PDB file of all heavy atoms in Angstrom:
ATOM      1  N   LEU E   1       4.855 -22.184 -12.681  1.00 96.00           N
ATOM      2  CA  LEU E   1       4.466 -23.131 -13.726  1.00 96.00           C
ATOM      3  C   LEU E   1       3.772 -24.362 -13.152  1.00 96.00           C
ATOM      4  O   LEU E   1       3.598 -25.357 -13.845  1.00 96.00           O
ATOM      5  CB  LEU E   1       5.696 -23.537 -14.545  1.00 96.00           C
ATOM      6  CG  LEU E   1       6.359 -22.399 -15.323  1.00 96.00           C
ATOM      7  CD1 LEU E   1       7.600 -22.896 -16.051  1.00 96.00           C
ATOM      8  CD2 LEU E   1       5.381 -21.755 -16.301  1.00 96.00           C
ATOM      9  N   GLY E   2       3.386 -24.282 -11.881  1.00 96.00           N
ATOM     10  CA  GLY E   2       2.651 -25.376 -11.262  1.00 96.00           C
ATOM     11  C   GLY E   2       3.418 -26.690 -11.226  1.00 96.00           C
ATOM     12  O   GLY E   2       2.813 -27.751 -11.310  1.00 96.00           O
ATOM     13  N   GLY E   3       4.727 -26.584 -11.131  1.00 94.00           N
ATOM     14  CA  GLY E   3       5.558 -27.785 -11.075  1.00 94.00           C
ATOM     15  C   GLY E   3       5.863 -28.399 -12.422  1.00 94.00           C
ATOM     16  O   GLY E   3       6.592 -29.381 -12.513  1.00 94.00           O
ATOM     17  N   ASN E   4       5.310 -27.828 -13.489  1.00 93.00           N
ATOM     18  CA  ASN E   4       5.536 -28.345 -14.843  1.00 93.00           C
ATOM     19  C   ASN E   4       6.634 -27.536 -15.523  1.00 93.00           C
ATOM     20  O   ASN E   4       6.349 -26.639 -16.315  1.00 93.00           O
ATOM     21  CB  ASN E   4       4.243 -28.280 -15.665  1.00 93.00           C
ATOM     22  CG  ASN E   4       3.155 -29.107 -15.051  1.00 93.00           C
ATOM     23  OD1 ASN E   4       3.365 -30.260 -14.719  1.00 93.00           O
ATOM     24  ND2 ASN E   4       1.984 -28.506 -14.885  1.00 93.00           N
ATOM     25  N   LEU E   5       7.869 -27.868 -15.218  1.00 94.00           N
ATOM     26  CA  LEU E   5       8.990 -27.107 -15.762  1.00 94.00           C
ATOM     27  C   LEU E   5       9.212 -27.429 -17.236  1.00 94.00           C
ATOM     28  O   LEU E   5       8.894 -28.528 -17.693  1.00 94.00           O
ATOM     29  CB  LEU E   5      10.257 -27.387 -14.962  1.00 94.00           C
ATOM     30  CG  LEU E   5      10.245 -26.826 -13.544  1.00 94.00           C
ATOM     31  CD1 LEU E   5      11.539 -27.151 -12.828  1.00 94.00           C
ATOM     32  CD2 LEU E   5      10.034 -25.317 -13.550  1.00 94.00           C
ATOM     33  N   PRO E   6       9.775 -26.479 -17.964  1.00 94.00           N
ATOM     34  CA  PRO E   6      10.052 -26.708 -19.381  1.00 94.00           C
ATOM     35  C   PRO E   6      11.221 -27.677 -19.552  1.00 94.00           C
ATOM     36  O   PRO E   6      11.951 -27.971 -18.612  1.00 94.00           O
ATOM     37  CB  PRO E   6      10.427 -25.308 -19.878  1.00 94.00           C
ATOM     38  CG  PRO E   6      11.041 -24.666 -18.685  1.00 94.00           C
ATOM     39  CD  PRO E   6      10.237 -25.166 -17.518  1.00 94.00           C
ATOM     40  N   GLU E   7      11.393 -28.101 -20.771  1.00 93.00           N
ATOM     41  CA  GLU E   7      12.518 -28.983 -21.086  1.00 93.00           C
ATOM     42  C   GLU E   7      13.847 -28.243 -20.930  1.00 93.00           C
ATOM     43  O   GLU E   7      14.837 -28.834 -20.493  1.00 93.00           O
ATOM     44  CB  GLU E   7      12.365 -29.495 -22.517  1.00 93.00           C
ATOM     45  CG  GLU E   7      13.444 -30.463 -22.940  1.00 93.00           C
ATOM     46  CD  GLU E   7      13.270 -30.920 -24.382  1.00 93.00           C
ATOM     47  OE1 GLU E   7      12.149 -30.896 -24.909  1.00 93.00           O
ATOM     48  OE2 GLU E   7      14.293 -31.295 -24.973  1.00 93.00           O
ATOM     49  N   ALA E   8      13.880 -26.959 -21.296  1.00 95.00           N
ATOM     50  CA  ALA E   8      15.128 -26.197 -21.252  1.00 95.00           C
ATOM     51  C   ALA E   8      14.895 -24.802 -20.682  1.00 95.00           C
ATOM     52  O   ALA E   8      13.798 -24.248 -20.796  1.00 95.00           O
ATOM     53  CB  ALA E   8      15.725 -26.081 -22.655  1.00 95.00           C
ATOM     54  N   ILE E   9      15.949 -24.269 -20.076  1.00 97.00           N
ATOM     55  CA  ILE E   9      15.920 -22.904 -19.553  1.00 97.00           C
ATOM     56  C   ILE E   9      17.158 -22.188 -20.068  1.00 97.00           C
ATOM     57  O   ILE E   9      18.275 -22.671 -19.892  1.00 97.00           O
ATOM     58  CB  ILE E   9      15.886 -22.896 -18.011  1.00 97.00           C
ATOM     59  CG1 ILE E   9      14.631 -23.626 -17.527  1.00 97.00           C
ATOM     60  CG2 ILE E   9      15.938 -21.467 -17.479  1.00 97.00           C
ATOM     61  CD1 ILE E   9      14.581 -23.838 -16.045  1.00 97.00           C
ATOM     62  N   LEU E  10      16.954 -21.049 -20.737  1.00 97.00           N
ATOM     63  CA  LEU E  10      18.055 -20.263 -21.285  1.00 97.00           C
ATOM     64  C   LEU E  10      18.377 -19.122 -20.334  1.00 97.00           C
ATOM     65  O   LEU E  10      17.494 -18.326 -19.992  1.00 97.00           O
ATOM     66  CB  LEU E  10      17.684 -19.711 -22.662  1.00 97.00           C
ATOM     67  CG  LEU E  10      17.594 -20.740 -23.785  1.00 97.00           C
ATOM     68  CD1 LEU E  10      16.240 -21.416 -23.815  1.00 97.00           C
ATOM     69  CD2 LEU E  10      17.885 -20.093 -25.118  1.00 97.00           C
ATOM     70  N   LEU E  11      19.651 -19.042 -19.940  1.00 97.00           N
ATOM     71  CA  LEU E  11      20.101 -18.052 -18.957  1.00 97.00           C
ATOM     72  C   LEU E  11      21.334 -17.327 -19.463  1.00 97.00           C
ATOM     73  O   LEU E  11      22.292 -17.970 -19.906  1.00 97.00           O
ATOM     74  CB  LEU E  11      20.486 -18.768 -17.647  1.00 97.00           C
ATOM     75  CG  LEU E  11      19.455 -19.696 -17.035  1.00 97.00           C
ATOM     76  CD1 LEU E  11      20.116 -20.701 -16.116  1.00 97.00           C
ATOM     77  CD2 LEU E  11      18.458 -18.865 -16.264  1.00 97.00           C
ATOM     78  N   PRO E  12      21.378 -15.996 -19.374  1.00 97.00           N
ATOM     79  CA  PRO E  12      22.626 -15.310 -19.696  1.00 97.00           C
ATOM     80  C   PRO E  12      23.681 -15.724 -18.674  1.00 97.00           C
ATOM     81  O   PRO E  12      23.369 -15.911 -17.496  1.00 97.00           O
ATOM     82  CB  PRO E  12      22.279 -13.829 -19.584  1.00 97.00           C
ATOM     83  CG  PRO E  12      20.994 -13.755 -18.844  1.00 97.00           C
ATOM     84  CD  PRO E  12      20.322 -15.086 -18.948  1.00 97.00           C
ATOM     85  N   ALA E  13      24.920 -15.896 -19.121  1.00 96.00           N
ATOM     86  CA  ALA E  13      25.960 -16.380 -18.205  1.00 96.00           C
ATOM     87  C   ALA E  13      27.269 -15.624 -18.389  1.00 96.00           C
ATOM     88  O   ALA E  13      27.846 -15.619 -19.474  1.00 96.00           O
ATOM     89  CB  ALA E  13      26.198 -17.871 -18.412  1.00 96.00           C
ATOM     90  N   GLY E  14      27.692 -14.972 -17.325  1.00 94.00           N
ATOM     91  CA  GLY E  14      29.001 -14.322 -17.273  1.00 94.00           C
ATOM     92  C   GLY E  14      29.796 -14.987 -16.169  1.00 94.00           C
ATOM     93  O   GLY E  14      30.568 -15.909 -16.398  1.00 94.00           O
ATOM     94  N   ASN E  15      29.566 -14.554 -14.940  1.00 93.00           N
ATOM     95  CA  ASN E  15      30.161 -15.217 -13.778  1.00 93.00           C
ATOM     96  C   ASN E  15      29.376 -16.461 -13.374  1.00 93.00           C
ATOM     97  O   ASN E  15      29.826 -17.241 -12.557  1.00 93.00           O
ATOM     98  CB  ASN E  15      30.233 -14.257 -12.590  1.00 93.00           C
ATOM     99  CG  ASN E  15      31.463 -13.401 -12.634  1.00 93.00           C
ATOM    100  OD1 ASN E  15      32.564 -13.888 -12.885  1.00 93.00           O
ATOM    101  ND2 ASN E  15      31.296 -12.114 -12.398  1.00 93.00           N
ATOM    102  N   GLY E  16      28.189 -16.612 -13.910  1.00 93.00           N
ATOM    103  CA  GLY E  16      27.408 -17.817 -13.673  1.00 93.00           C
ATOM    104  C   GLY E  16      26.559 -17.807 -12.424  1.00 93.00           C
ATOM    105  O   GLY E  16      26.072 -18.856 -12.004  1.00 93.00           O
ATOM    106  N   THR E  17      26.335 -16.643 -11.824  1.00 93.00           N
ATOM    107  CA  THR E  17      25.599 -16.622 -10.560  1.00 93.00           C
ATOM    108  C   THR E  17      24.167 -17.125 -10.710  1.00 93.00           C
ATOM    109  O   THR E  17      23.693 -17.867  -9.850  1.00 93.00           O
ATOM    110  CB  THR E  17      25.614 -15.214  -9.933  1.00 93.00           C
ATOM    111  OG1 THR E  17      25.171 -14.260 -10.901  1.00 93.00           O
ATOM    112  CG2 THR E  17      26.995 -14.842  -9.459  1.00 93.00           C
ATOM    113  N   LEU E  18      23.476 -16.770 -11.778  1.00 95.00           N
ATOM    114  CA  LEU E  18      22.114 -17.263 -11.959  1.00 95.00           C
ATOM    115  C   LEU E  18      22.128 -18.741 -12.340  1.00 95.00           C
ATOM    116  O   LEU E  18      21.315 -19.525 -11.849  1.00 95.00           O
ATOM    117  CB  LEU E  18      21.353 -16.442 -13.005  1.00 95.00           C
ATOM    118  CG  LEU E  18      19.890 -16.823 -13.225  1.00 95.00           C
ATOM    119  CD1 LEU E  18      19.088 -16.779 -11.919  1.00 95.00           C
ATOM    120  CD2 LEU E  18      19.259 -15.920 -14.268  1.00 95.00           C
ATOM    121  N   LEU E  19      23.033 -19.146 -13.187  1.00 97.00           N
ATOM    122  CA  LEU E  19      23.167 -20.547 -13.585  1.00 97.00           C
ATOM    123  C   LEU E  19      23.436 -21.434 -12.366  1.00 97.00           C
ATOM    124  O   LEU E  19      22.781 -22.454 -12.164  1.00 97.00           O
ATOM    125  CB  LEU E  19      24.295 -20.696 -14.611  1.00 97.00           C
ATOM    126  CG  LEU E  19      24.618 -22.105 -15.074  1.00 97.00           C
ATOM    127  CD1 LEU E  19      23.500 -22.656 -15.945  1.00 97.00           C
ATOM    128  CD2 LEU E  19      25.938 -22.115 -15.832  1.00 97.00           C
ATOM    129  N   ILE E  20      24.377 -21.030 -11.537  1.00 96.00           N
ATOM    130  CA  ILE E  20      24.723 -21.794 -10.338  1.00 96.00           C
ATOM    131  C   ILE E  20      23.550 -21.808  -9.363  1.00 96.00           C
ATOM    132  O   ILE E  20      23.183 -22.860  -8.831  1.00 96.00           O
ATOM    133  CB  ILE E  20      25.997 -21.226  -9.687  1.00 96.00           C
ATOM    134  CG1 ILE E  20      27.199 -21.446 -10.610  1.00 96.00           C
ATOM    135  CG2 ILE E  20      26.244 -21.860  -8.314  1.00 96.00           C
ATOM    136  CD1 ILE E  20      28.448 -20.646 -10.223  1.00 96.00           C
ATOM    137  N   GLY E  21      22.957 -20.653  -9.134  1.00 96.00           N
ATOM    138  CA  GLY E  21      21.815 -20.579  -8.229  1.00 96.00           C
ATOM    139  C   GLY E  21      20.652 -21.425  -8.713  1.00 96.00           C
ATOM    140  O   GLY E  21      20.023 -22.143  -7.929  1.00 96.00           O
ATOM    141  N   ALA E  22      20.354 -21.368 -10.004  1.00 97.00           N
ATOM    142  CA  ALA E  22      19.261 -22.165 -10.556  1.00 97.00           C
ATOM    143  C   ALA E  22      19.537 -23.652 -10.349  1.00 97.00           C
ATOM    144  O   ALA E  22      18.640 -24.402  -9.952  1.00 97.00           O
ATOM    145  CB  ALA E  22      19.069 -21.864 -12.041  1.00 97.00           C
ATOM    146  N   ALA E  23      20.767 -24.064 -10.590  1.00 98.00           N
ATOM    147  CA  ALA E  23      21.116 -25.480 -10.403  1.00 98.00           C
ATOM    148  C   ALA E  23      20.932 -25.901  -8.945  1.00 98.00           C
ATOM    149  O   ALA E  23      20.400 -26.982  -8.669  1.00 98.00           O
ATOM    150  CB  ALA E  23      22.545 -25.733 -10.863  1.00 98.00           C
ATOM    151  N   ILE E  24      21.351 -25.051  -8.011  1.00 97.00           N
ATOM    152  CA  ILE E  24      21.165 -25.358  -6.586  1.00 97.00           C
ATOM    153  C   ILE E  24      19.674 -25.520  -6.285  1.00 97.00           C
ATOM    154  O   ILE E  24      19.254 -26.477  -5.635  1.00 97.00           O
ATOM    155  CB  ILE E  24      21.788 -24.265  -5.699  1.00 97.00           C
ATOM    156  CG1 ILE E  24      23.310 -24.287  -5.798  1.00 97.00           C
ATOM    157  CG2 ILE E  24      21.349 -24.431  -4.235  1.00 97.00           C
ATOM    158  CD1 ILE E  24      23.995 -23.072  -5.160  1.00 97.00           C
ATOM    159  N   GLY E  25      18.867 -24.581  -6.771  1.00 97.00           N
ATOM    160  CA  GLY E  25      17.428 -24.635  -6.532  1.00 97.00           C
ATOM    161  C   GLY E  25      16.781 -25.878  -7.124  1.00 97.00           C
ATOM    162  O   GLY E  25      15.986 -26.555  -6.460  1.00 97.00           O
TER     163      GLY E  25
END
């Protein structure tokens, strides 16, 4: 996205691995 991130990102969450990883990134 060329550094222009959206206001919100919707992620499926069970154990939260993508949510946690995204937050770290």
Side-chain angles (χ1 to χ4, degrees):
L1 296 178
N4 299 311
L5 291 180
E7 182 181 335
I9 300 172
L10 290 84
L11 307 158
N15 275 315
T17 52
L18 183 56
L19 177 70
I20 294 167
I24 291 169

